Amino acid sequence: MNPPELADFAGTCKVRVEAALDRFLPTGDLLPQGLHEAMRYAALEGGKRVRPLLVYAAGQALDANPQALDVVAGAVECIHAYSLVHDDLPAMDNDDLRRGRPTCHRAFGEAAAILAGDALQAQAFYLLAHADMPGVDAQTRLEMIEILALAAGSRGMVGGQAIDLAAVGKQLGMAELEDMHIHKTGALIRAAVLLGALCADDLDEDRRQALDHYGKCIGLAFQVQDDILDVTGSTEQLGKQAGADGAREKPTYPALLGLEGARDRARELHQAATDSLAWFGPEADPLRWLSAYIVARSS
Ligand code: GRG
């Protein structure tokens, strides 16, 4: 299903972002050691690195500097890692398993996990403000910080999480379900694409809009597939508890549309995402492969 080029592209990007995170996160021997170990545990091991891959793919479509992309990819992944740590806490989903191993609070305790999440979030903004990003001027840096803050905060991911928590056990309509996921999952994925694009020095308005539309579509497609996998995948395959949404009475795409209806919705979003790349030639192929991967993935 996925072209071999995607495996090569993903392999190279994963190595880059993991090396970047290793460099950008305080080492485990630095005080307070337990906190830094918990941060590294949450961010460094495992994960598909979909958001960093999107940063690199958007950057490659515009010939952006790879060193600048490392910083943005690392920052986005720090936000993602923090969101998973907090989402797994007893006050939220109370999960024991993440990325095939004990969740951060299971491994380090609840207080340490809360602090590790807090510090990962702060680290993301520190990176965007401070780290060396060749080709990115100060005004663009500021815009990046604004985009990531909006995507991560109460009008983005955290807001979506609040809607999600309030929706448990309730009947949501399609529009409400999509609104929740556009915020909870979609906002950070959309931001990853835009932030990667902003690393390029010649981003015109047409291409910016096209990439932003691509990011919006695949952000939602990612969640549709996540809901499908919660029904069809195994705990072993997913590295987290399968069937958890149904068990928690969470509204999902398969619950609303049926499994085939949810698959159709994912395909529709993939099509809309790739259509918006008509502005681009083969330099945007990694974005096309990633869109296909997002709706076909099995973990
Ligand atoms: C608690 C602040 C706060 C936010 C939580 C994104 C989120 C908001 C919670 C994650 C819960 C969840 C399972 C959402 C569904 C989609 C999703 C984001 C899945 C996890 O992302 P993957 O599959 O994970 O990219 P890996 O481990 O591959 O990085």
Side-chain angles (χ1 to χ4, degrees):
M1 178 79 212
N2 297 315
E5 296 94 324
L6 174 59
D8 287 349
F9 174 80
T12 308
C13 294
K14 271 184 161 189
V15 169
R16 279 202 82 100
V17 72
E18 279 162 18
L21 284 166
D22 188 34
R23 264 194 328 275
F24 294 148
L25 289 172
T27 52
D29 57 357
L30 214 73
L31 285 173
Q33 288 169 340
L35 176 62
H36 291 141
E37 278 166 15
M39 288 167 72
R40 295 178 73 84
Y41 179 88
L44 281 178
E45 292 291 320
K48 297 179 291 297
R49 311 296 190 194
V50 167
R51 295 150 196 81
L53 294 184
L54 288 165
V55 169
Y56 288 112
Q60 182 169 314
L62 296 159
D63 202 22
N65 183 294
Q67 209 186 316
L69 294 171
D70 289 340
V71 175
V72 168
V76 169
E77 193 66 2
C78 282
I79 294 285
H80 173 58
Y82 125 70
S83 80
L84 297 181
V85 170
H86 281 197
D87 185 65
D88 289 335
L89 287 167
M92 304 236 186
D93 278 358
N94 195 17
D95 273 315
D96 295 334
L97 197 64
R98 170 70 64 187
R99 295 177 168 171
R101 24 176 229 167
T103 46
C104 192
H105 68 275
R106 283 280 166 206
F108 291 87
E110 203 175 326
I114 292 170
L115 294 180
D118 291 341
L120 281 166
Q121 175 165 212
Q123 188 71 9
F125 293 103
Y126 175 70
L127 289 176
L128 288 188
H130 173 86
D132 197 15
M133 283 197 274
V136 177
D137 60 25
Q139 199 186 332
T140 307
R141 247 183 218 272
L142 209 54
E143 192 183 353
M144 287 178 168
I145 291 168
E146 182 183 347
I147 288 168
L148 190 60
L150 272 175
S154 64
R155 282 178 286 164
M157 181 182 73
V158 172
Q161 178 77 349
I163 300 171
D164 187 342
L165 291 174
V168 173
K170 291 206 178 116
Q171 288 284 354
L172 292 190
M174 198 56 210
E176 291 168 307
L177 183 74
E178 295 231 320
D179 181 63
M180 173 172 91
H181 290 314
I182 282 170
H183 292 89
K184 188 180 107 169
T185 310
L188 188 61
I189 290 180
R190 183 176 177 179
V193 176
L194 193 52
L195 292 172
L198 280 167
C199 290
D201 56 11
D202 62 345
L203 177 62
D204 58 66
E205 195 50 34
D206 286 336
R207 286 187 300 170
R208 179 180 175 139
Q209 297 268 341
L211 288 173
D212 194 38
H213 188 252
Y214 165 91
K216 189 177 173 186
C217 294
I218 52 140
L220 199 49
F222 186 91
Q223 182 62 52
V224 180
Q225 185 63 12
D226 210 72
D227 282 3
I228 293 171
L229 288 174
D230 190 67
V231 178
T232 61
S234 66
T235 299
E236 196 182 31
Q237 208 177 13
L238 301 177
K240 62 179 181 181
Q241 186 62 51
D245 293 341
R248 292 187 190 110
E249 294 183 61
K250 286 197 176 186
T252 64
Y253 284 90
L256 238 75
L257 299 175
L259 208 46
E260 265 322 298
R263 287 191 173 121
D264 286 346
R265 181 69 184 126
R267 279 191 284 266
E268 194 178 285
L269 287 163
H270 164 52
Q271 187 61 50
T274 49
D275 285 352
S276 62
L277 297 177
W279 286 90
F280 296 87
E283 68 279 10
D285 279 350
L287 288 171
R288 296 185 181 96
W289 305 329
L290 282 168
S291 177
Y293 159 76
I294 279 170
V295 296
R297 68 196 171 92
S298 56
S299 67

